[in-house]
Amino acid sequence: MIGLTTEQAAEIESIRATPSSTLRPVSPGLEEILHKSFPVLDHGIIRVVDYMGDDSAIVQAARVSYGRGTKRIQEDSGLIKYLLRHLHTTPFEMAEIKFHVKLPIFVARQWIRHRMASVNEYSARYSVLDNEFYIPQPEHLAAQSTLNRQGRGAVLEGDEAAEVISLLRRDAEQAYDDYSTMLNDPGSPDHRDDRSGLARELARMNLSLNFYTQWYWKTDLHNLMNFLRLRADSHAQFEIRAYAEIMLEIMAAWVPIAHSAFKEYRMEAVQLSGTAVKAVRRMIAGEAVSQENSGLSAREWQELSAALDLPSLKAS
Amino acid sequence: MIGLTTEQAAEIESIRATPSSTLRPVSPGLEEILHKSFPVLDHGIIRVVDYMGDDSAIVQAARVSYGRGTKRIQEDSGLIKYLLRHLHTTPFEMAEIKFHVKLPIFVARQWIRHRMASVNEYSARYSVLDNEFYIPQPEHLAAQSTLNRQGRGAVLEGDEAAEVISLLRRDAEQAYDDYSTMLNDPGSPDHRDDRSGLARELARMNLSLNFYTQWYWKTDLHNLMNFLRLRADSHAQFEIRAYAEIMLEIMAAWVPIAHSAFKEYRMEAVQLSGTAVKAVRRMIAGEAVSQENSGLSAREWQELSAALDLPSLKAS
Amino acid sequence: MIGLTTEQAAEIESIRATPSSTLRPVSPGLEEILHKSFPVLDHGIIRVVDYMGDDSAIVQAARVSYGRGTKRIQEDSGLIKYLLRHLHTTPFEMAEIKFHVKLPIFVARQWIRHRMASVNEYSARYSVLDNEFYIPQPEHLAAQSTLNRQGRGAVLEGDEAAEVISLLRRDAEQAYDDYSTMLNDPGSPDHRDDRSGLARELARMNLSLNFYTQWYWKTDLHNLMNFLRLRADSHAQFEIRAYAEIMLEIMAAWVPIAHSAFKEYRMEAVQLSGTAVKAVRRMIAGEAVSQENSGLSAREWQELSAALDLPSLKAS
Amino acid sequence: MIGLTTEQAAEIESIRATPSSTLRPVSPGLEEILHKSFPVLDHGIIRVVDYMGDDSAIVQAARVSYGRGTKRIQEDSGLIKYLLRHLHTTPFEMAEIKFHVKLPIFVARQWIRHRMASVNEYSARYSVLDNEFYIPQPEHLAAQSTLNRQGRGAVLEGDEAAEVISLLRRDAEQAYDDYSTMLNDPGSPDHRDDRSGLARELARMNLSLNFYTQWYWKTDLHNLMNFLRLRADSHAQFEIRAYAEIMLEIMAAWVPIAHSAFKEYRMEAVQLSGTAVKAVRRMIAGEAVSQENSGLSAREWQELSAALDLPSLKAS
């Protein structure tokens, strides 16, 4: 399996073979995939290692009730949708999920910006990192966007793509070789008995940002949705989005009602500014509204046109 | 049962009678008491309604390993003690616990100061509060301390205690009567069909701080220990300490290794200031150290003497 | 001045009379009102006691530049609007504000739910509370809403309003009298030399939730906006909204560009759900969309109609 | 000046030359160095760009007073020491400081673990990183410790040190060259007009962890002390400690009273476990206590001996 040694895969299977009895609420959808490893990118994985609560935890907290919190699916769904629509976010903090993730360091650097989470990362002060680094698939080797300073443009073509891949691979291999040499790793061909080896906390600085690290990452459902809203969005960098999209599916297995409300009121929702609201009112009343008379900037007009599928955009 | 209606007790029993199968780690000690209601003060309760992780979650996160994280009890215990001693607190965030608590409002006001937690409180904007208020037991009716501006002194005696209890009870009953009248509660003897009743969000302001409220409160083990360190301490107000002491026992059932390390390295630990360290070194070397030549203030000397059981204090 | 003793007012004037020199960025609008006390409700106040940064702090952080961060007002404004529109919230954390607030306890209980803030409250364990409590103005004595379980309906009329006010006042006065008696306050008419007085931490439980407390409350601009979005909203309880509306004006004086963007992209913005987006697209295309064929629930249709000023609502 | 271009240095000078008037509390010691750039490591810097509050902010919040909060230096100092000794940490949140830091990415990765802070980092998705990377001084090129899995041992000697430096430099230069080539940077010798250049967000993954990044980082005094306690400690990695030690001096200039209390009650303090307390009591009473009869593990005994300068350790 990608990203797992045989031993690790066996350990996961052994855990999955020994269920326990619990008096806690259980999410059948999540139990189905608990501990299983989902491959991401070329060597990454993501898997759920623990969780607390399900859709009913949201309802129970919102009602501050004694029982399981669930009355009828229909009512629970209505309440969860209401809560999300009206920014009553605290009941969503009552469900918790813990992931084990293997990811390139540059992805980890974006991910860690989400502070309302707990994290324990594999320590390269304490242990030696594996020789695993990320090389993008050719179809993800995009040129710098000329429209958006922090976006990707068209896919690189021909020998430019090939050269990029070759440079990335060569430099990563070189970096790891020299990392082993500096550590004076007994397994390294450069090992010399008369050397002591550089401290691991120093040698690691030679590795590049596409090397893989791993961590345990735990957050609550409210903060998971904040993460997914930004990182499963089309403006997020492809590599972190690859993780977020799997997490979105995991969320659907775990809390199906909250997931459906999240799609409706966050992922597919459109926010209209005060000025845009006025323009939309006029459009609905049948007025011919243009960017010029809308009060919106060119960029905002473009965003509104895209969101509402306005003909002005289709024409251009 | 104190603090529970028959219906609530039945609901709890029904939940406890229907275990589920899970692939998650399970804490046998906590399953034993899950959902059960522990009485606190005269009408309060505390009970655990959900949890995630056990001692092995701490170990697993610290090692960032694939498996259950437990090798041998002995090793796990050594690691957990090491982590706590050296302020490596993040692995303790990996276990989570959720309580249902019924508590007087003035206790809730102290409790909520712990911000690293999630809370959903019964809403007195949305629902009518019950007629339940806290009256201290006579042995807890303490005089204002004359030594410590925020502490209690000796227990009140004779008719002073009786009068306090009588005033507290009379005022709370009056407040609730008038709350019902203002709400124009159909069950109230003062109900009048020609009145509409004051909004609940306004009427509640007439209730006093000893009325009971309830909430769901969720936090991780690291923050639970921060809470317990302050609130199970002898300087905490008796009423919140009554909750904290039960939570400390719950912690022992849930994560026995962490609980034992917590007692050793936090609850029973003593912090010596830089100056106190120097004084203690001299004491151990056999020097006669007094407050005057110690460099410590009178108050700090007293604190040190109490902590180390110095004869100077016993003499006085 | 409401809510201030002569001595306090004099202390504030003395501070305002002694400016210092600083190399920090300065907000002229906020310096104008710094330390000044704004009255709220019958005995409350709010005043700014310190701040850090201004609009340029947002720009400086977003650009990670060496200088003041301001190029031209026009550019800064465009950037701040862009950041807010696209949920790039971290630069707004770079400006900070600290308030001194005097407020009824039931308002403080709503306020403290905003956890991303620092707070130090006047301690009723340590000191005796003043005899000040909130009595609503007659025009704010609203009946319980019959439509919204947590809202207000019409204003109470005639003797119902008079009776509510009379009950609130009577109970608060009684509570404070008995608080003084229990404390055995030397200034109380009930003082007896043979009594020791109940501990302050216990006596306070007799006070009702409309008594005033005070605190220092500090937060950053991002979290201030989160607070204002919920608490200056028409669904917030009137009493906390009274504070939030003044804070909104203070924000305008402090960071005028961010304030204007906040109004446009948060306060006056409308969020359309995925289903609502589809309905609006059809409306703009000239289709006759009704609740029935929109896919929206009756309640969501009503919310959309109100937001977009749809004729269907005007007709009803 | 290390780490600054002439233009940046000029911009800083220009800001320092134009003071403003403010009604806020001012810290004279911090104004002295505000905006100035302190060199760290080979290309790093740290400088304070803004702050809020001083020692009096702590006192003012603890007392919830109307005025400046300062009575007499002596009293303020006593209060601040009391607060720190007894874990009353909230008043320390009332002072705030904002740094501009240039630091190697591997240091940034340790630093960001402190979540109670605000950060805006230079974006390598948006802009091209400079060709600056960290190469340790020979005296900091330590071997892996054989005693402590995450520590450094003796300094590398002779040609091992020279080879490490040479490998680090060669790999970093290669990485940057290839970064420029992949970006198809117009200034690069490899620039080709027929190529579009790889997106910046992808090309950056080729850089190693010793490249410099920069950010604005803001936190409050309480969380700054948490940071310094861990990062100015002798167990912290040398490179982050180099920053923390300067921050400790900055703290002394900013809040001299709090700094002195912090040294006494945190940096130089020793925590005795419950078992160690019992052992120390026996030592003071003149008993001959050994590891064997102390109840402490060998490691804890060693730690206690070091902390209290016990003869047992000196002998070994």
Side-chain angles (χ1 to χ4, degrees):
Chain A
M1 193 184 287
I2 287 174
L4 285 186
T5 64
T6 321
E7 194 185 26
Q8 288 159 352
E11 199 162 356
I12 289 172
E13 273 324 295
S14 123
I15 292 174
R16 282 196 54 81
T18 50
S20 305
S21 171
T22 188
L23 295 172
R24 291 174 289 174
V26 163
S27 164
L30 198 45
E31 292 280 341
E32 199 83 23
I33 54 174
L34 202 67
H35 304 295
K36 283 188 184 167
S37 184
F38 295 88
V40 198
L41 304 179
D42 52 356
H43 298 292
I45 63 150
I46 186 159
R47 62 191 196 103
V48 180
V49 292
D50 209 347
Y51 72 94
M52 178 168 95
D54 56 1
D55 278 322
S56 76
I58 304 162
V59 171
Q60 185 190 45
R63 294 205 180 111
V64 192
S65 58
Y66 273 75
R68 286 220 191 271
T70 313
K71 293 199 176 169
R72 289 194 306 266
I73 287 289
Q74 193 53 34
E75 269 182 45
D76 283 2
S77 170
L79 176 56
I80 287 174
K81 286 161 75 173
Y82 174 86
L83 294 170
L84 213 53
R85 202 159 78 241
H86 291 280
L87 303 177
H88 293 300
T89 57
T90 54
F92 295 92
E93 295 177 23
M94 289 292 170
E96 196 88 15
I97 192 162
K98 194 197 297 180
F99 295 97
H100 177 194
V101 195
K102 195 169 145 194
L103 70 179
I105 294 171
F106 72 92
V107 174
R109 298 235 302 137
Q110 295 182 319
W111 195 308
I112 199 91
R113 297 301 311 276
H114 297 263
R115 288 160 292 180
M116 294 296 110
S118 297
V119 59
N120 282 99
E121 186 174 353
Y122 186 86
S123 170
R125 290 184 79 188
Y126 192 84
S127 306
V128 175
L129 279 172
D130 288 334
N131 186 9
E132 285 183 316
F133 46 83
Y134 169 61
I135 300 292
Q137 292 297 305
E139 65 267 31
H140 298 132
L141 273 185
Q144 177 63 37
S145 166
T146 51
L147 298 170
N148 180 344
R149 279 187 63 90
Q150 58 181 2
R152 297 188 186 187
V155 170
L156 293 189
E157 287 175 12
D159 64 347
E160 185 170 4
E163 190 181 332
V164 161
I165 287 179
S166 145
L167 289 179
L168 285 173
R169 188 177 301 281
R170 186 193 66 187
D171 287 353
E173 283 170 354
Q174 183 70 56
Y176 197 85
D177 270 4
D178 292 344
Y179 172 66
S180 298
T181 302
M182 290 190 289
L183 289 174
N184 198 32
D185 186 1
S188 156
D190 298 321
H191 177 75
R192 282 171 51 177
D193 286 339
D194 62 341
R195 290 201 162 171
S196 44
L198 185 64
R200 284 184 286 272
E201 66 177 31
L202 283 169
R204 63 168 162 175
M205 79 170 78
N206 199 53
L207 298 178
S208 47
L209 290 159
N210 52 346
F211 273 84
Y212 278 88
T213 184
Q214 51 179 301
W215 62 31
Y216 276 78
W217 189 79
K218 178 179 79 76
T219 199
D220 62 50
L221 179 53
H222 167 60
N223 284 291
L224 180 67
M225 292 191 291
N226 281 349
F227 179 93
L228 294 176
R229 190 182 190 179
L230 291 176
R231 303 306 183 179
D233 182 87
S234 64
H235 294 89
Q237 183 163 348
F238 164 77
E239 282 76 17
I240 196 166
R241 213 166 65 225
Y243 290 85
E245 280 167 3
I246 296 174
M247 291 158 86
L248 206 49
E249 286 181 50
I250 289 173
M251 183 187 164
W254 176 31
V255 281
I257 301 177
H259 174 262
S260 146
F262 175 62
K263 273 183 58 186
E264 168 78 349
Y265 300 107
R266 292 288 184 279
M267 294 303 285
E268 296 171 1
V270 167
Q271 169 120 328
L272 303 178
S273 68
T275 304
V277 169
K278 287 186 202 117
V280 169
R281 284 180 183 168
R282 288 166 53 205
M283 289 175 199
I284 291 175
E287 275 189 56
V289 184
S290 65
Q291 188 243 311
E292 289 70 24
N293 68 26
S294 70
L296 295 166
S297 71
R299 184 160 192 172
E300 287 185 84
W301 178 258
Q302 197 180 28
E303 289 170 7
L304 183 67
S305 300
L308 296 184
D309 208 19
L310 298 184
S312 52
L313 191 76
K314 283 184 288 195
S316 77
Chain B
M1 193 185 289
I2 288 172
L4 284 187
T5 64
T6 321
E7 195 185 25
Q8 288 158 352
E11 200 162 354
I12 289 172
E13 273 323 295
S14 123
I15 294 174
R16 284 195 53 83
T18 50
S20 306
S21 171
T22 188
L23 295 171
R24 293 173 287 174
V26 163
S27 164
L30 198 45
E31 292 280 342
E32 199 83 23
I33 54 173
L34 202 67
H35 304 296
K36 284 187 186 169
S37 184
F38 295 88
V40 199
L41 304 180
D42 51 355
H43 299 290
I45 63 151
I46 186 158
R47 61 194 197 100
V48 180
V49 293
D50 209 348
Y51 72 94
M52 179 168 96
D54 56 1
D55 277 323
S56 74
I58 305 162
V59 172
Q60 184 190 46
R63 294 205 180 108
V64 193
S65 59
Y66 274 75
R68 286 219 192 270
T70 313
K71 293 197 175 171
R72 287 194 309 266
I73 286 288
Q74 193 53 35
E75 269 182 47
D76 284 2
S77 170
L79 177 55
I80 287 174
K81 285 162 75 174
Y82 175 86
L83 294 170
L84 212 54
R85 202 160 77 241
H86 291 280
L87 301 177
H88 293 300
T89 58
T90 55
F92 296 92
E93 296 177 22
M94 289 293 171
E96 196 90 15
I97 193 161
K98 195 196 297 179
F99 295 97
H100 177 194
V101 195
K102 194 169 145 195
L103 69 179
I105 294 171
F106 72 92
V107 174
R109 297 234 302 138
Q110 294 183 320
W111 196 307
I112 198 92
R113 297 301 310 278
H114 297 263
R115 287 160 292 179
M116 293 296 109
S118 297
V119 59
N120 283 99
E121 185 174 353
Y122 186 85
S123 170
R125 289 184 78 188
Y126 191 83
S127 306
V128 175
L129 279 174
D130 288 334
N131 186 9
E132 285 183 316
F133 47 84
Y134 169 60
I135 301 291
Q137 292 296 306
E139 65 267 30
H140 299 131
L141 273 186
Q144 177 61 37
S145 165
T146 50
L147 297 169
N148 179 344
R149 277 187 65 89
Q150 57 181 1
R152 298 188 185 185
V155 170
L156 292 189
E157 288 174 12
D159 63 347
E160 184 169 5
E163 188 181 333
V164 161
I165 288 181
S166 147
L167 288 180
L168 285 174
R169 189 177 301 281
R170 185 193 69 187
D171 287 353
E173 283 171 354
Q174 182 72 53
Y176 197 84
D177 269 4
D178 292 343
Y179 173 65
S180 297
T181 301
M182 290 190 287
L183 289 174
N184 199 32
D185 186 3
S188 155
D190 298 321
H191 178 73
R192 283 170 50 175
D193 286 339
D194 62 340
R195 291 201 161 169
S196 44
L198 185 64
R200 283 183 286 271
E201 67 178 29
L202 283 169
R204 63 168 162 174
M205 79 170 77
N206 199 56
L207 297 177
S208 47
L209 290 160
N210 53 344
F211 272 84
Y212 277 88
T213 183
Q214 50 180 300
W215 62 30
Y216 276 78
W217 189 78
K218 178 179 78 78
T219 198
D220 61 51
L221 179 53
H222 167 61
N223 284 291
L224 179 68
M225 291 190 293
N226 281 348
F227 178 92
L228 293 177
R229 189 182 191 180
L230 290 177
R231 303 306 183 177
D233 183 88
S234 64
H235 294 89
Q237 183 163 349
F238 164 76
E239 282 76 16
I240 197 166
R241 212 166 68 225
Y243 289 86
E245 280 166 3
I246 296 174
M247 292 160 86
L248 205 50
E249 286 180 49
I250 289 173
M251 183 187 164
W254 175 30
V255 282
I257 301 177
H259 174 263
S260 144
F262 175 62
K263 271 182 59 185
E264 168 78 348
Y265 300 107
R266 292 288 184 278
M267 294 302 286
E268 296 171 1
V270 167
Q271 169 118 331
L272 303 179
S273 68
T275 304
V277 169
K278 287 185 202 118
V280 168
R281 284 179 184 169
R282 288 165 55 204
M283 289 175 199
I284 292 174
E287 276 189 54
V289 184
S290 65
Q291 187 241 310
E292 289 70 26
N293 69 26
S294 70
L296 294 167
S297 71
R299 186 162 190 169
E300 288 184 84
W301 179 257
Q302 197 180 27
E303 289 170 7
L304 183 67
S305 300
L308 296 184
D309 207 18
L310 298 184
S312 52
L313 192 75
K314 283 184 287 195
S316 73
Chain C
M1 193 184 287
I2 287 173
L4 285 186
T5 64
T6 320
E7 195 185 24
Q8 288 159 351
E11 200 162 354
I12 290 172
E13 273 323 295
S14 125
I15 293 174
R16 284 196 53 82
T18 51
S20 306
S21 172
T22 188
L23 293 171
R24 292 175 287 176
V26 163
S27 164
L30 198 45
E31 292 279 342
E32 198 84 24
I33 55 173
L34 202 67
H35 305 296
K36 284 187 184 168
S37 184
F38 294 89
V40 199
L41 304 180
D42 53 356
H43 298 291
I45 63 151
I46 186 159
R47 62 193 197 102
V48 180
V49 293
D50 209 346
Y51 71 94
M52 179 168 95
D54 56 1
D55 278 322
S56 74
I58 305 162
V59 172
Q60 184 190 45
R63 294 205 181 109
V64 192
S65 59
Y66 274 75
R68 288 222 191 265
T70 314
K71 292 198 174 168
R72 288 193 308 264
I73 286 289
Q74 193 52 36
E75 269 182 46
D76 284 2
S77 170
L79 176 56
I80 288 174
K81 286 161 75 173
Y82 175 87
L83 294 170
L84 213 53
R85 202 160 76 241
H86 291 279
L87 301 177
H88 293 300
T89 57
T90 54
F92 295 92
E93 296 176 22
M94 288 293 171
E96 195 90 14
I97 192 162
K98 194 197 297 180
F99 294 97
H100 177 194
V101 194
K102 195 169 145 194
L103 71 178
I105 293 171
F106 71 92
V107 174
R109 298 234 301 138
Q110 294 183 320
W111 196 308
I112 198 91
R113 297 300 311 276
H114 297 263
R115 288 160 292 179
M116 294 296 110
S118 297
V119 59
N120 282 99
E121 185 174 353
Y122 187 85
S123 169
R125 288 184 79 189
Y126 191 83
S127 306
V128 175
L129 279 173
D130 288 334
N131 186 9
E132 284 183 316
F133 46 84
Y134 169 60
I135 301 292
Q137 291 296 305
E139 65 267 31
H140 298 133
L141 273 186
Q144 176 62 37
S145 166
T146 50
L147 298 170
N148 179 342
R149 278 186 63 90
Q150 58 181 0
R152 297 188 187 187
V155 170
L156 293 188
E157 286 174 13
D159 63 348
E160 185 170 6
E163 189 182 333
V164 161
I165 288 180
S166 147
L167 289 178
L168 286 172
R169 189 177 301 280
R170 187 193 67 187
D171 288 351
E173 283 171 354
Q174 182 72 55
Y176 197 84
D177 269 5
D178 292 344
Y179 172 66
S180 297
T181 300
M182 290 190 290
L183 290 173
N184 198 33
D185 186 1
S188 155
D190 298 322
H191 178 74
R192 283 171 50 177
D193 285 340
D194 62 341
R195 291 200 161 171
S196 44
L198 185 64
R200 284 184 286 272
E201 66 179 30
L202 283 170
R204 62 168 162 176
M205 80 170 76
N206 198 54
L207 297 178
S208 47
L209 291 159
N210 51 346
F211 272 83
Y212 278 89
T213 182
Q214 50 180 301
W215 63 29
Y216 276 79
W217 189 77
K218 178 179 78 77
T219 198
D220 62 49
L221 180 53
H222 168 59
N223 284 291
L224 180 67
M225 291 191 292
N226 281 349
F227 179 92
L228 293 177
R229 189 182 191 178
L230 290 177
R231 304 306 183 177
D233 182 88
S234 64
H235 295 88
Q237 182 163 350
F238 164 76
E239 282 76 17
I240 197 166
R241 212 165 68 226
Y243 289 86
E245 280 166 3
I246 296 174
M247 291 159 86
L248 206 50
E249 286 180 50
I250 289 172
M251 183 187 165
W254 176 30
V255 282
I257 300 177
H259 174 263
S260 144
F262 175 62
K263 272 182 59 186
E264 168 78 350
Y265 299 107
R266 291 289 184 280
M267 294 302 285
E268 296 170 1
V270 167
Q271 168 117 331
L272 303 178
S273 69
T275 304
V277 169
K278 288 185 201 119
V280 168
R281 284 180 183 168
R282 289 165 55 205
M283 289 175 199
I284 292 174
E287 277 189 56
V289 183
S290 65
Q291 187 242 311
E292 289 69 24
N293 68 27
S294 69
L296 294 167
S297 70
R299 185 162 190 170
E300 287 184 84
W301 179 256
Q302 196 181 28
E303 288 171 7
L304 183 68
S305 300
L308 297 184
D309 207 19
L310 298 184
S312 53
L313 191 77
K314 282 184 289 193
S316 75
Chain D
M1 193 185 288
I2 287 173
L4 285 187
T5 64
T6 321
E7 195 185 25
Q8 288 158 353
E11 200 163 354
I12 289 172
E13 274 322 297
S14 123
I15 292 173
R16 285 196 51 83
T18 50
S20 305
S21 172
T22 188
L23 295 171
R24 293 174 288 175
V26 163
S27 164
L30 198 45
E31 292 280 341
E32 199 83 23
I33 55 174
L34 202 68
H35 305 296
K36 282 187 186 168
S37 184
F38 294 88
V40 199
L41 305 179
D42 53 355
H43 298 291
I45 64 151
I46 186 159
R47 62 192 196 102
V48 181
V49 293
D50 209 347
Y51 72 93
M52 180 169 94
D54 56 2
D55 278 321
S56 75
I58 305 161
V59 172
Q60 184 190 45
R63 295 205 179 110
V64 192
S65 59
Y66 273 77
R68 287 221 192 267
T70 315
K71 293 197 176 171
R72 289 193 307 264
I73 286 289
Q74 193 52 34
E75 270 183 45
D76 284 2
S77 171
L79 176 56
I80 288 174
K81 286 161 75 173
Y82 175 87
L83 294 170
L84 213 53
R85 202 160 76 240
H86 292 280
L87 302 176
H88 293 300
T89 58
T90 54
F92 296 92
E93 296 177 22
M94 289 293 170
E96 197 88 15
I97 191 161
K98 195 197 296 179
F99 295 96
H100 177 194
V101 195
K102 197 169 144 194
L103 71 179
I105 294 171
F106 72 92
V107 175
R109 298 234 302 137
Q110 295 182 320
W111 196 307
I112 198 90
R113 297 301 311 276
H114 297 263
R115 289 160 292 180
M116 293 297 111
S118 297
V119 60
N120 282 98
E121 185 174 353
Y122 186 85
S123 170
R125 291 184 76 189
Y126 191 84
S127 307
V128 175
L129 279 173
D130 288 334
N131 187 9
E132 284 184 315
F133 46 83
Y134 169 61
I135 302 292
Q137 292 296 305
E139 66 266 31
H140 298 132
L141 273 185
Q144 177 62 38
S145 166
T146 50
L147 298 169
N148 179 343
R149 278 187 64 89
Q150 56 182 1
R152 298 188 186 184
V155 170
L156 294 187
E157 285 175 14
D159 63 346
E160 184 170 6
E163 189 180 333
V164 161
I165 288 179
S166 147
L167 289 179
L168 285 173
R169 189 177 301 282
R170 186 193 68 187
D171 288 352
E173 282 170 356
Q174 184 71 55
Y176 198 85
D177 270 5
D178 292 344
Y179 172 65
S180 297
T181 301
M182 290 190 288
L183 289 173
N184 199 33
D185 186 1
S188 155
D190 299 322
H191 178 75
R192 284 171 50 176
D193 285 339
D194 62 341
R195 291 199 162 172
S196 44
L198 185 64
R200 283 184 286 271
E201 66 178 31
L202 283 169
R204 62 167 163 176
M205 78 171 76
N206 199 56
L207 297 177
S208 46
L209 290 159
N210 53 345
F211 273 83
Y212 278 88
T213 183
Q214 50 180 301
W215 62 30
Y216 276 79
W217 189 76
K218 177 179 78 75
T219 199
D220 61 51
L221 179 53
H222 167 62
N223 284 291
L224 180 67
M225 291 191 292
N226 282 347
F227 179 92
L228 294 177
R229 189 181 190 179
L230 291 176
R231 304 305 183 178
D233 183 88
S234 65
H235 295 90
Q237 184 163 349
F238 164 77
E239 282 76 16
I240 196 167
R241 213 166 67 225
Y243 289 86
E245 279 166 2
I246 295 174
M247 291 159 86
L248 205 50
E249 286 181 50
I250 289 172
M251 183 187 163
W254 176 30
V255 282
I257 300 177
H259 174 263
S260 145
F262 175 63
K263 272 182 59 186
E264 169 78 350
Y265 299 107
R266 293 288 184 280
M267 295 303 285
E268 296 170 1
V270 167
Q271 169 118 331
L272 303 179
S273 69
T275 304
V277 169
K278 287 183 202 118
V280 169
R281 284 180 185 169
R282 287 165 55 205
M283 289 175 199
I284 291 174
E287 278 188 53
V289 183
S290 65
Q291 189 243 311
E292 290 68 26
N293 68 26
S294 71
L296 295 167
S297 71
R299 185 160 191 171
E300 287 183 85
W301 178 259
Q302 197 180 29
E303 289 171 7
L304 182 68
S305 300
L308 297 185
D309 207 20
L310 299 183
S312 53
L313 192 77
K314 283 184 289 195
S316 75

